[in-house]
Amino acid sequence: MATTVTMPKMGFDMVEGKLLRWLKKVGEPVKAGEPLAEIETEKVNIEFEAPASGVLKAVLIEEGTTVPVGTPIAIIAAPDEPVEAPAAAPAVREGPPLPTPAPGTPPPPAPAPAPVGAPTPPPGGRVKASPLARRLAREAGIDLREIPGTGPGGRVVKRDVDRYLQARAPAAAPPPPPAAAPIPTPAPAPVPTPAPTAVPVSPLRQAIARRMTVSKQTAPHFYVTVEVDMDEAMAWRARINEALGERGKVTVNDMVVKAAALALREFPALRSSYQEGGLVRHEAIHIGIAVALEEGLITVVLRDADRKPLAQIARESKELVERARSGKVRPEDIEGSVFTVSNLGMFDVEHFIAIINPPEAAIMAVGSVREVPVVKNGQLAIGQRMKVTVSADHRVTDGAEVARFLQAFRRYLENPLLLLVE
């Protein structure tokens, strides 16, 4: 019976995938579990295995096409079995536009001032004037003939002199001429500012942006920080690595993963997921390990970390990180984590907090192991300390429970032989 191959769902939040390359040609035999195609998810590129054996009868989408999860992409059937291909689904694509700037406007013109007028002298002859008017005119140095009289018979009286003097009062000073327009000085040439450029965002970066936004908006985060005495752990690790020699190395992160996995046995809430209507408790303790890639951050999954010896954790963690960085992760490498460890100690980061990786309930942020002054037995000494912060979902757990979890976690690292016996 023919098998219709569909775009697989690799991760709980995967909604579409891009078929990068077919690894089999139409007409070629295929075995179940054999790589059939290379698929790009939002996180990584993965070789997708054939779900059935037979002959690849038809491919339903071209290379480079993005389709939703569940879309038929190929048909596998027996060599002599006739098949009828279903209608191909439309591809998913998008494309954004860009804006442009605008220029300025010129300045307006200016206004102008107005002129003034002058009086005319009277005729000569004897002037009729009152004695007071004569005296005022004399004192003011005015010729009475210049003053029009308004008294009886044209006689010049005091009010005529006063009016004349007022009329001769100096007119208001004309407005000062407008100041000469300043000679414009050339403005300094503007320093060209580089225009912002739009940078394409990788699918992984888009996935990180979407998931971290959802996490921060839906999961009420709270944070608990402890400092771990790493003197015994670092000394013990040095002895183990010396004993292992060429067979491998145990890193601080391997010890942190093991200690966290053991502590999670005692605190099932921190390996749970919140869903509407209740919690989903995960019995298998699969620890996610954050790995930094050029495109962003992905989480590889170390399965059953509480049940594996430390040397095995070290070896498998190294293989997972190498596959992630070489673009060869498998579907099971990135699915199913219940708790994540994010370690920035190798970057000499003392302390940080992380955003919960949904649908998990908590994430552990690990800083570097630092030599600091400490007090031992009442004496100042040098000790090795490491700060650890757990970000937790308040819908699932509370501060006191996370504090008890961190006490258990710290107990394993401060007594590292417990990492061997459990």
Side-chain angles (χ1 to χ4, degrees):
M1 182 176 178
T3 299
T4 300
V5 183
T6 60
M7 175 60 70
K9 184 177 179 65
M10 299 177 179
F12 83 101
D13 60 341
M14 177 177 170
V15 295
E16 64 181 28
K18 181 178 182 180
L19 196 139
L20 293 178
R21 187 163 60 101
W22 286 109
L23 302 178
K24 291 288 183 180
K25 296 179 180 178
V26 174
E28 284 188 344
V30 180
K31 291 183 179 178
E34 201 174 15
L36 178 63
E38 187 176 359
I39 292 173
E40 179 187 83
T41 72
E42 291 177 322
K43 298 177 181 176
V44 291
N45 297 346
I46 293 177
E47 287 188 352
F48 173 53
E49 297 176 353
S53 299
V55 172
L56 181 60
K57 287 285 187 173
V59 294
L60 306 179
I61 62 173
E62 299 295 329
E63 294 180 349
T65 304
T66 301
V67 295
V69 168
T71 301
I73 61 175
I75 296 177
I76 297 174
D80 55 351
E81 183 179 2
V83 297
E84 183 176 347
V92 179
R93 278 299 83 199
E94 68 277 350
L98 288 175
T100 52
T105 54
V116 272
T120 54
R126 179 175 174 76
V127 178
K128 293 181 181 179
S130 69
L132 180 56
R134 288 184 184 279
R135 185 171 61 81
L136 293 176
R138 185 171 58 252
E139 290 174 357
I142 302 172
D143 188 345
L144 283 173
R145 289 173 298 185
E146 298 178 0
I147 303 175
T150 61
R155 192 181 187 193
V156 176
V157 295
K158 176 181 179 296
R159 64 172 177 270
D160 298 328
V161 177
D162 292 339
R163 186 180 299 119
Y164 181 80
L165 290 174
Q166 290 176 355
R168 283 190 49 180
I183 301 174
T185 55
V191 178
T193 302
T197 56
V199 178
V201 178
S202 68
L204 177 57
R205 178 56 58 193
Q206 293 177 28
I208 292 171
R210 187 182 68 253
R211 297 191 62 185
M212 294 301 101
T213 300
V214 169
S215 177
K216 268 292 191 179
Q217 290 180 340
T218 59
H221 286 54
F222 69 92
Y223 312 95
V224 181
T225 301
V226 296
E227 187 173 77
V228 182
D229 182 345
M230 293 293 288
D231 285 346
E232 287 295 323
M234 297 304 287
W236 181 82
R237 171 177 168 259
R239 292 195 294 272
I240 290 291
N241 283 340
E242 183 178 358
L244 287 174
E246 299 298 324
R247 291 176 293 170
K249 298 290 183 185
V250 172
T251 67
V252 172
N253 200 61
D254 298 331
M255 300 166 68
V256 167
V257 168
K258 178 71 176 182
L262 292 175
L264 282 171
R265 284 180 175 175
E266 306 171 37
F267 297 91
L270 272 74
R271 47 182 163 88
S272 301
S273 300
Y274 179 85
Q275 294 183 355
E276 291 300 329
L279 300 180
V280 177
R281 182 158 295 170
H282 307 288
E283 299 304 328
I285 302 179
H286 302 330
I287 301 294
I289 302 172
V291 179
L293 306 179
E294 288 294 329
E295 303 85 1
L297 201 67
I298 70 167
T299 301
V300 295
V301 182
L302 185 71
R303 298 183 178 277
D304 300 314
D306 61 317
R307 293 188 288 164
K308 291 179 177 174
L310 196 56
Q312 185 178 355
I313 288 178
R315 185 177 64 255
E316 290 188 10
S317 296
K318 182 180 178 183
E319 293 171 353
L320 285 167
V321 172
E322 288 177 350
R323 284 204 294 272
R325 291 181 172 157
S326 62
K328 297 186 180 300
V329 293
R330 305 164 182 163
E332 62 270 22
D333 290 345
I334 58 173
E335 293 182 32
S337 60
V338 300
F339 182 93
T340 293
V341 171
S342 180
N343 191 336
L344 292 181
M346 65 289 291
F347 298 108
D348 199 25
V349 173
E350 180 182 5
H351 168 246
F352 72 105
I353 59 176
I355 299 175
I356 298 170
N357 183 27
E360 299 169 10
I363 184 171
M364 174 180 284
V366 182
S368 59
V369 178
R370 307 171 72 87
E371 288 190 338
V372 296
V374 298
V375 176
K376 292 183 178 179
N377 301 320
Q379 299 293 321
L380 190 62
I382 297 176
Q384 298 183 86
R385 298 292 184 269
M386 178 179 72
K387 289 184 178 178
V388 172
T389 298
V390 167
S391 308
D393 186 343
H394 229 320
R395 299 172 300 178
V396 179
T397 183
D398 302 304
E401 186 174 34
V402 173
R404 292 197 301 273
F405 164 76
L406 283 171
Q407 285 180 337
F409 168 79
R410 185 164 57 185
R411 183 177 69 249
Y412 284 110
L413 286 179
E414 293 180 351
N415 302 276
L417 284 179
L418 294 175
L419 298 177
L420 289 180
V421 298
E422 298 213 29

